[in-house]
Amino acid sequence: MRAELALILALLLGACGSTPKPVDPPRLRAALEAESDGARRYERGDYAVAARRFAEAAKLHAAIDDATGVARNRLHLARSELVLGRDEAALQLLDATDSGGDAGFALDAWMLKAQAQLGLGRADDARISLDEAVALCAGACPHAAGLHLLRARHALAEKRAADSLAHAGAALKLLQGKDNAAETGNAWRLIAAARHAGGNATDALVAARAALDIDRRLALPEKIARDWLLIGDILRAKAPAEAATAYRKALAVAQAAGLDAITMIAAQASQDIGMQK
Amino acid sequence: MSLLTQHDADARSVRRATRRFLLVAILVTLALMAAIFVRQGLLRQTVSYSFVADTAQDIAKGQAVRIAGFRVGSVTDVDLRDDGSVAVKLDVDADHARFVTHDARIELRKEGLVGSPTMEIVPGADKTRLAAAQARLAFSRADGLGALANQVRDEFIPILKDIKAITGALADPEKGLPGTLARIRASSEALNVLLANGNRQVEGIGGTAIRVLGKAEEDLTHLGQTLEAANKRLPGMLDRTRQVLDHVEKISAEAEASVPPALRDGSAVAADVREIVGGAKQTWPISSMVDAPAPARLKPDSDPRGEAGRAR
């Protein structure tokens, strides 16, 4: 009993005498918590709320003159805007973002800009952004795979199927053994599209199905619907009935997920193939 | 002879001492009696007042009467009246009667909330007129612990009722959040069905129109038939659209009525909750247990909408 009492007293004395844990200032803590909450929501697919939280975090960081925090959260916000399909808003945000001389932030910003410009169909602007990004991504750049994928998208937009296939293949090689299923799915989708554009329907179908498998595993409705559209496009010339099935699946997924734009594309594709048959 | 003389002298001396002792004893007794009288207030001048209380609880004869905490008198009489109320008389030192204004009131207080009860004369605002002797003053009881508990309960009950009503409204499967969400879901499904039907009909119309236009040179009557078909279908479509819109409008109106205001201020409530949780997190010892999160890193996705594979 005496030993236990001595132990408890020793613990109490130790607790009282230990150095107090340094606590972050409340405003910085609030900003980091807003950012962390936004990241959690982004991971859950709640992009609209995530965007609001990142905007709030950027404001909180700005209030304490933390330029790094502001830049980081503006990039998060731009990423959320891109997922939400608000490419123009993302581009404006990125134009107004000062990376503060941080090469990592600058590279992120150029890549996101290229993404927005490709989404808006501005291939020439995207090339400029991609050139800037490539200049910043030398050596063992962790964004090399993503950059290859964007260059593959850009090449595809400029109807350079061979270049697109080369970049997508390079990206896939870099992604092997890495835990990045989303980018791997993007790589397969681009390979499929490039092969399809190059007239290799058989291999294109294999790649498109690989992309579909990954996107199904990740449960990403927009990508699944677009994969089905791509499969329909690939099959359209040789197997119209199977293509029609693929378009119907794309339509069903898009309708269930409330994706209006893809619903319209899939409905139009179904209609076209119906007329073709 | 000398012995007798000596004895007389001693006897006188004893008598003198006895008389002195008796005199001092009488004086002390008188002083004591005077002190007792003074203590009992029998010799002081007092002014009598009275008040009527609902109950004699915490009121007793001899109880001290105070002004600003100083004892200035006492309760002299507590009587039960015919109507069930209690008549209380009290005497206040004449010297202190100048504080008892005509609008003064008597308050029964507890020392330190739960201590012994005391009678406090609280002078009124009008200092120009004093209360007359035998005047009946107003009486009230200051809130004791029980009264405070009752007050707190009275204030909390409406809040608890509100919370109950809000949670009830939220949980109500018909009019609450589940019901509202179910109706919105049903409505969105109806809209989807309408959209799908619309698309099919438009596709049908479009396909027919294209075919008819292709043969326009050969047979213009086909175009007329197609337009006629379209005319037949369009009113149905428009009617369904109107029905769905009516449905949505109705849902919006119902949601306005059934979704409690707290939900409409959801962001404010969420902000408040965040504030509270944030405040708690910053408080010792929680602050020492919860680390501030590290800067977030989002997983890169060069094509979050999968647009690369197919033109939009």
Side-chain angles (χ1 to χ4, degrees):
Chain A
M1 184 67 193
R2 190 173 288 175
E4 288 166 359
L5 191 65
L7 183 66
I8 290 167
L9 282 172
L11 282 172
L12 278 172
L13 277 171
C16 295
S18 61
T19 313
K21 199 173 174 179
V23 177
D24 288 316
R27 284 175 191 276
L28 175 62
R29 202 183 172 96
L32 288 169
E33 276 173 359
E35 182 180 348
S36 168
D37 185 43
R40 274 197 301 273
R41 290 173 188 279
Y42 185 93
E43 293 300 325
R44 285 205 301 263
D46 191 0
Y47 302 115
V49 181
R52 281 208 298 275
R53 295 295 278 152
F54 289 140
E56 189 185 332
K59 206 171 169 183
L60 288 167
H61 279 292
I64 53 172
D65 198 20
D66 177 5
T68 308
V70 174
R72 193 175 58 243
N73 279 283
R74 287 176 79 94
L75 290 175
H76 292 334
L77 178 57
R79 212 181 283 275
S80 306
E81 297 281 23
L82 285 171
V83 183
L84 290 165
R86 301 195 287 237
D87 295 331
E88 194 65 62
L91 202 55
Q92 282 176 10
L93 187 70
L94 291 163
D95 283 337
T97 299
D98 177 15
S99 54
D102 185 309
F105 287 162
L107 174 59
D108 269 347
W110 284 118
M111 286 176 71
L112 291 172
K113 265 187 197 180
Q115 208 172 307
Q117 286 155 347
L118 285 168
L120 291 166
R122 298 178 194 164
D124 292 342
D125 293 342
R127 187 175 54 244
I128 296 167
S129 300
L130 285 171
D131 287 346
E132 295 280 358
V134 168
L136 290 168
C137 191
C141 174
H143 296 288
L147 199 48
H148 271 299
L149 290 174
L150 285 171
R151 292 171 81 184
R153 275 184 73 182
H154 178 251
L156 200 62
E158 288 189 335
K159 301 194 189 309
R160 291 183 284 113
D163 285 350
S164 178
L165 192 57
H167 280 302
L172 194 60
K173 206 171 173 184
L174 286 169
L175 288 165
Q176 271 174 3
K178 288 190 179 163
D179 178 28
N180 197 339
E183 287 288 61
T184 307
N186 292 338
W188 278 117
R189 196 179 312 102
L190 274 163
I191 288 171
R195 283 175 179 169
H196 176 53
N200 184 354
T202 311
D203 291 345
L205 192 61
V206 173
R209 290 204 182 277
L212 179 64
D213 284 346
I214 291 171
D215 293 335
R216 272 176 171 164
R217 210 164 58 234
L218 294 174
L220 299 168
E222 192 162 5
K223 289 188 177 184
I224 293 169
R226 287 194 189 273
D227 289 338
W228 276 119
L229 283 178
L230 181 59
I231 289 170
D233 289 349
I234 294 166
L235 290 169
R236 190 168 180 156
K238 289 186 177 174
E242 288 177 41
T245 308
Y247 288 141
R248 274 201 299 279
K249 287 196 174 179
L251 182 65
V253 171
Q255 281 182 339
L259 305 166
D260 296 340
I262 303 180
T263 300
M264 286 176 71
I265 294 169
Q268 185 65 47
S270 293
Q271 180 201 333
D272 292 348
I273 205 159
M275 285 173 64
Q276 188 181 317
K277 280 198 289 182
Chain B
M1 187 62 189
S2 64
L3 273 172
L4 285 173
T5 309
Q6 182 62 35
H7 176 76
D8 287 345
D10 288 345
R12 275 199 300 275
S13 173
V14 169
R15 275 201 296 274
R16 264 201 312 272
T18 305
R19 275 202 296 271
R20 275 188 208 132
F21 174 77
L22 285 173
L23 187 66
V24 169
I26 289 164
L27 284 173
V28 167
T29 305
L30 285 172
L32 272 172
M33 286 174 70
I36 289 167
F37 287 160
V38 167
R39 180 69 186 158
Q40 292 295 320
L42 296 175
L43 298 175
R44 65 191 167 132
Q45 279 193 314
T46 59
V47 180
S48 290
Y49 303 102
S50 67
F51 65 85
V52 175
D54 292 337
T55 164
Q57 189 187 351
D58 293 334
I59 302 172
K61 196 173 174 182
Q63 189 174 5
V65 175
R66 297 172 192 273
I67 293 177
F70 290 92
R71 183 187 172 117
V72 295
S74 61
V75 173
T76 55
D77 201 8
V78 181
D79 274 336
L80 184 63
R81 302 203 313 182
D82 293 340
D83 61 357
S85 59
V86 177
V88 182
K89 286 182 184 168
L90 49 96
D91 284 349
V92 173
D93 293 345
D95 291 347
H96 294 107
R98 66 181 188 279
F99 297 112
V100 187
T101 57
H102 73 99
D103 55 351
R105 63 190 164 78
I106 296 168
E107 206 172 87
L108 185 66
R109 295 177 179 173
K110 293 257 182 147
E111 286 174 353
L113 205 62
V114 290
S116 58
T118 59
M119 207 71 80
E120 181 87 20
I121 297 177
V122 182
D126 184 3
K127 312 281 187 198
T128 56
R129 275 177 61 202
L130 296 180
Q134 310 294 335
R136 181 183 288 183
L137 302 177
F139 170 75
S140 64
R141 288 170 190 268
D143 291 344
L145 199 61
L148 277 178
N150 282 338
Q151 193 183 334
V152 170
R153 191 198 61 188
D154 290 347
E155 285 176 12
F156 263 89
I157 281 175
I159 296 169
L160 290 173
K161 278 183 180 170
D162 281 352
I163 291 169
K164 201 176 164 188
I166 289 167
T167 50
L170 280 173
D172 186 343
E174 288 295 321
K175 292 184 176 175
L177 196 57
T180 307
L181 289 176
R183 282 197 293 276
I184 288 169
R185 195 165 50 242
S187 144
S188 71
E189 279 167 8
L191 276 170
N192 276 338
V193 170
L194 174 71
L195 184 64
N197 285 346
N199 279 337
R200 275 200 293 276
Q201 287 174 357
V202 168
E203 284 157 20
I205 294 162
T208 312
I210 289 163
R211 277 197 293 276
V212 169
L213 283 170
K215 296 176 188 172
E217 287 176 9
E218 299 171 11
D219 193 353
L220 283 171
T221 53
H222 282 203
L223 179 62
Q225 284 169 3
T226 305
L227 290 173
E228 198 178 335
N231 278 338
K232 279 179 188 169
R233 289 174 185 181
L234 275 172
M237 270 180 70
L238 291 172
D239 194 39
R240 288 204 61 183
T241 311
R242 199 172 54 244
Q243 280 174 17
V244 173
L245 287 175
D246 286 349
H247 194 189
V248 170
E249 205 171 57
K250 196 177 160 196
I251 287 165
S252 305
E254 281 178 13
E256 184 75 21
S258 63
V259 175
L263 258 190
R264 280 180 237 137
D265 298 336
S267 59
V269 172
D272 285 351
V273 171
R274 271 208 306 273
E275 189 82 11
I276 291 163
V277 174
K281 277 172 157 182
Q282 285 163 24
T283 311
W284 186 90
I286 299 170
S287 62
S288 59
M289 296 176 195
V290 182
D291 287 327
R297 285 185 64 84
L298 304 183
K299 271 200 166 182
D301 188 347
S302 60
D303 187 12
R305 283 173 285 146
E307 289 174 334
R310 196 181 199 274
R312 290 203 292 173

